[in-house]
Amino acid sequence: MKKILFLFFMLVTINVDAQTNSENKVNFSPDTNVTYRLFKTQNMHIFIKLNTSNGTMKLVQFSTSNTMDMMHADLSNIELAKGADAKNGRFYLYPTDNFYTFLLLDQIDGRIWQVQWSIDPENRGILRIY
């Protein structure tokens, strides 16, 4: 009987752990040949739209009640890769524990930037991490 209870406890623990870890997964799609990806922020109405080929980003805000609250605005319009260097899937965003901060990784050469998003345009931008 003790073995059965122990086995049951282990299975429940594994199931709870799997559910918790799946909630923390980074956005992922197996298709790397896409130009744009949406990344969820911790704000339920805001996403970051990343151009995976050149690293430019926009904030996308949706609304279920008022079209005046909808937004599609520049987060960073600086092209980090140009011409033949701009390849789909080159850039990817990783969330951090900070509400307003992501890390942008160039998956080809390893460069990395800190991305700050905000509703206020003066508080948006990216900084290269050396």
Side-chain angles (χ1 to χ4, degrees), residues 54-79:
N54 66 18
T56 58
M57 292 168 277
K58 296 210 179 255
L59 281 184
V60 179
Q61 178 174 316
F62 71 93
S63 174
T64 58
S65 60
N66 184 353
T67 58
M68 296 300 290
D69 291 335
M70 294 179 178
M71 170 180 64
H72 189 236
D74 282 338
L75 174 54
S76 173
N77 59 5
I78 300 167
E79 292 185 14

Side-chain angles (χ1 to χ4, degrees), residues 28-42:
F28 177 73
S29 168
D31 186 2
T32 58
N33 194 26
V34 294
T35 305
Y36 295 99
R37 288 187 189 274
L38 285 175
F39 292 87
K40 184 177 183 176
T41 68
Q42 292 182 29

Side-chain angles (χ1 to χ4, degrees), residues 59 61 71-77 116-126:
L59 281 184
Q61 178 174 316
M71 170 180 64
H72 189 236
D74 282 338
L75 174 54
S76 173
N77 59 5
Q116 296 294 136
W117 72 268
S118 173
I119 300 297
D120 182 3
E122 295 174 1
N123 293 325
R124 297 178 198 153
I126 65 171

